[in-house]
């Protein structure tokens, strides 16, 4: 499984758009989170990519399974299982 995160800086917070893809490259779901102050990524392989977009930070996250949860009002947690 792969997740691509587009992190857009705003004053004192981030807007995070997440696209989740299956192992065969099909889009499984996408979500947008506003007001994020911290992003926690656990048990995943993470790559920073400047080749995808130029005005945002893009992260490529790989794991066998990926779960995305918002903790409280401003913490986004990406948790993986396997491959990382």
């Amino acid at each position: 499984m792969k997740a691509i995160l587009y992190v857009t800086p705003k004053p004192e917070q981030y807007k995070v758009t997440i696209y989740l893809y299956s192992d065969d490259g099909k889009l499984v779901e996408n979500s947008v989170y506003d007001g994020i102050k911290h992003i926690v990524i656990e048990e995943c392989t993470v790559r920073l990519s400047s080749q995808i977009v130029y005005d945002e930070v893009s992260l490529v996250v790989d794991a066998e399974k990926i779960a995305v949860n918002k903790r409280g009002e401003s913490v986004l947690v990406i948790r993986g299982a396997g491959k990382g």
Side-chain angles (χ1 to χ4, degrees):
M1 183 167 240
K2 180 181 305 285
I4 298 179
L5 284 67
Y6 296 102
V7 182
T8 306
K10 293 183 170 186
E12 299 184 28
Q13 64 183 1
Y14 300 102
K15 173 184 170 188
V16 182
T17 305
I18 301 175
Y19 295 91
L20 289 174
Y21 295 91
S22 64
D23 287 334
D24 58 354
K26 293 182 182 177
L27 181 63
V28 175
E29 73 177 79
N30 65 308
S31 305
V32 177
Y33 299 90
D34 279 311
I36 300 300
K37 293 186 178 183
H38 303 280
I39 301 171
V40 178
I41 301 174
E42 301 174 334
E43 301 179 37
C44 300
T45 300
V46 180
R47 293 175 280 134
L48 181 63
S49 178
S50 64
Q51 298 173 344
I52 298 175
V53 292
Y54 299 102
D55 57 349
E56 300 171 315
V57 175
S58 59
L59 301 171
V60 180
V61 177
D62 291 303
E64 284 185 28
K65 292 183 180 180
I66 297 174
V68 178
N69 296 297
K70 192 171 179 185
R71 189 181 300 158
E73 291 294 316
S74 62
V75 178
L76 190 61
V77 179
I78 317 295
R79 180 181 294 269
K83 286 189 188 177

